[in-house]
């Protein structure tokens, strides 16, 4: 027979091993209630020989008096709710006068320990906030305030060095097209770090100006590339504030504009041809038309070529869109410029109003478009699109966001790559 260890495991031993606070002792740990109301209460007392620390300067100070007992929620143990109980001391600091002592597991007036806030905040990335609250027997508000604390700490401690490339974009969220249903997002899109730097309500010049201001003049001065859509308000702010950086129009946005134009032509034409046999060619073609032509296979591909041969307006619009892909493969700016002229000339003679509109827009921004060739290899075009998709996952996931502020927190929390407050023990 193997000899069994003689010491029994006590909860106090576990607590001391995972989170020991110098100057404090776990006095008693009791289990109360029964059935579903079973809970654990941890009473904490100050260590007799160690003086309390001033809450502001952390210097040991003589005691003054004690405040009534407070309660903090701690990380649950085996599905049991755990609370800390402690009556804070007031200390008399030479510099700061009488004040509440520094309590290492607490943050201001919050009724949840920092360990529990970190625990909830980490889970809130994997589950919805409501699910997190339910799984750990706490309230939605507790999860919300935990994420808030986590994000605020992260924003205050993040490093904004070596930010060379920015991506600026607008995102639609929620229902309707009202102005405050849009967000302006600023990403860092460097090879070494891709993250959300800033998010703000609306998509006006003022929004972007506020964002750049909050990132600080040092970040703006260090920029080499700024990548954006052809959205007017952004173009003028970027030109005014980051004129030293190379401004690039994002490839994926231009593809988006072309796709929208093709879709417009298709919708108008299928409405016009309703009931005619030739109109059948357009049925169920929407997604095939919007995909990159080389990626359409099988039966759909045959139908696409049929459409092209039919001389329908949709076929011609699709052909123009596909043709534009060649633009990106040029090595020389001069040749790319030549191609752009040729393509716009063709589009303007196509008698397809949506395609003509895109051509006029591209002509207007020719200089910025050609900047793309100067930045080739430095800024990858898929990054902004990828980050946008991740944002959509967050805004659509039913987090039960009740306010804009809650959603903003969730975006920083999931995409900001923020540093995290440290805890000696990782609870999850
Ligand atoms: Zn002090």
């Amino acid at each position: 027979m193997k000899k069994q260890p003689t010491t029994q495991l006590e909860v106090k031993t576990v607590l001391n091993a995972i989170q020991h606070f110098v100057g404090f002792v776990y006095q008693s740990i009791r289990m109360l209630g029964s059935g579903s109301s079973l809970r654990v209460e941890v009473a904490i007392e100050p260590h007799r020989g160690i003086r309390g620390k001033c809450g502001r300067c952390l210097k040991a100070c003589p005691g003054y008096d004690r405040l009534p007992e407070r309660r903090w929620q701690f990380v649950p143990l085996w599905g049991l709710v755990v609370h800390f109980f402690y009556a804070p001391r007031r200390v008399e600091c030479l510099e700061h006068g009488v004040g509440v002592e520094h309590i290492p597991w607490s943050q201001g007036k919050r009724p949840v320990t920092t360990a529990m806030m970190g625990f909830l905040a980490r889970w809130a990335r994997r589950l919805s906030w409501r699910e997190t609250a339910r799984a750990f027997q706490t309230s939605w508000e507790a999860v919300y305030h935990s994420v808030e604390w986590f994000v605020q700490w992260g924003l205050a401690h993040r490093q904004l060095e070596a930010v060379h490339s920015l991506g600026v974009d607008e995102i639609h969220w929620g229902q309707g097209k009202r102005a405050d249903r849009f967000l302006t997002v600023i990403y860092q899109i460097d090879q070494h770090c891709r993250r959300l730097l800033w998010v703000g309500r609306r998509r006006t010049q003022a929004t972007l100006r506020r964002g750049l201001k909050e990132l600080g003049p040092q970040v703006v001065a260090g920029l080499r590339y700024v990548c954006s859509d052809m959205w007017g308000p952004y173009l003028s702010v970027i030109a005014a504030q980051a004129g030293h950086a190379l401004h690039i129009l994002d490839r994926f946005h231009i593809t988006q504009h072309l796709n929208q134009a093709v879709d417009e032509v298709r919708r108008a034409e299928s409405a016009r041809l309703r009931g005619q046999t030739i109109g059948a060619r357009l049925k169920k073609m929407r997604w095939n038309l919007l995909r990159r032509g080389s990626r359409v296979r099988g039966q759909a591909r045959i139908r696409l070529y049929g459409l092209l041969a039919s001389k329908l307006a949709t076929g011609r619009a699709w052909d123009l869109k596909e043709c534009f892909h060649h633009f990106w493969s040029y090595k020389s700016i001069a040749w790319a410029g030549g191609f752009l002229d040729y393509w716009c000339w063709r589009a303007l003679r196509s008698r397809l109003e949506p395609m003509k509109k895109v051509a006029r827009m591209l002509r207007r921004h020719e200089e910025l478009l050609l900047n793309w060739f100067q930045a080739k290899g430095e800024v990858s075009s898929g990054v902004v699109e990828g980050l946008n998709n991740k944002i959509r996952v967050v805004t659509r996931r039913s987090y039960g966001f009740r306010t804009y502020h809650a959603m903003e927190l969730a975006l920083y929390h999931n995409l900001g790559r923020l540093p995290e407050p440290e805890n000696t023990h990782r609870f999850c």
Side-chain angles (χ1 to χ4, degrees), residues 118-311:
F119 178 82
L120 290 175
R122 286 203 182 92
W123 273 104
R125 278 204 199 109
R126 301 173 215 177
L127 305 173
S128 77
W129 293 7
R130 194 165 292 148
E131 282 170 323
T132 308
R134 204 173 296 151
F136 303 109
Q137 299 162 66
T138 184
S139 63
W140 186 90
E141 279 73 21
V143 178
Y144 169 82
H145 289 301
S146 301
V147 174
E148 188 179 43
W149 169 72
F150 216 65
V151 167
Q152 279 168 355
W153 194 96
L155 287 175
H157 290 82
R158 75 174 168 181
Q159 303 285 329
L160 288 178
E161 282 154 12
V163 178
H164 301 309
S165 321
L166 284 193
V168 177
D169 207 359
E170 38 158 327
I171 302 263
H172 176 254
W173 70 289
Q175 256 120 50
K177 292 273 173 188
R178 287 204 322 270
D180 55 354
R181 283 292 170 205
F182 288 90
L183 307 173
T184 294
V185 290
I186 303 179
Y187 303 121
Q188 179 178 3
I189 53 170
D190 285 305
Q191 297 271 324
H192 63 273
C193 185
R194 289 155 181 189
R195 57 179 167 168
L196 173 70
L197 288 181
W198 190 82
V199 52
R201 223 196 281 241
R202 304 195 168 188
R203 49 172 178 172
T204 59
Q205 291 199 15
T207 319
L208 184 55
R209 250 188 257 122
R210 189 156 52 88
L212 293 176
K213 194 177 162 199
E214 278 177 34
L215 290 179
Q218 261 177 330
V219 171
V220 175
L223 291 178
R224 287 189 209 142
Y225 302 102
V226 180
C227 199
S228 83
D229 187 13
M230 286 174 274
W231 178 244
Y234 292 166
L235 296 185
S236 47
V237 173
I238 293 168
Q241 305 225 342
H244 55 283
L246 189 68
H247 187 180
I248 311 154
L249 293 182
D250 201 11
R251 177 176 167 171
F252 113 84
H253 280 120
I254 290 162
T255 309
Q256 228 173 27
H257 287 291
L258 283 164
N259 275 336
Q260 272 164 15
V262 171
D263 205 41
E264 246 178 81
V265 173
R266 180 194 60 84
R267 259 180 304 162
E269 191 170 45
S270 62
R272 207 164 51 235
L273 298 179
R274 188 157 296 146
Q276 298 181 37
T277 36
I278 193 158
R281 283 192 183 276
L282 297 172
K283 285 242 165 74
K284 293 194 179 147
M285 285 300 274
R286 178 158 189 236
W287 296 110
N288 293 322
L289 286 162
L290 299 187
R291 285 177 79 182
R292 182 78 180 270
S294 57
R295 296 205 186 122
V296 181
R297 305 271 144 133
Q299 202 59 36
R301 198 184 184 107
I302 296 169
R303 288 191 63 202
L304 264 182
Y305 284 129
L307 189 63
L308 196 60
S310 71
K311 302 281 177 205

Side-chain angles (χ1 to χ4, degrees), residues 54-59 61 93-97:
C54 166
R56 290 167 71 184
C57 64
L58 300 187
K59 276 189 198 129
C61 306
C93 176
L94 280 175
E95 206 184 328
H96 301 108

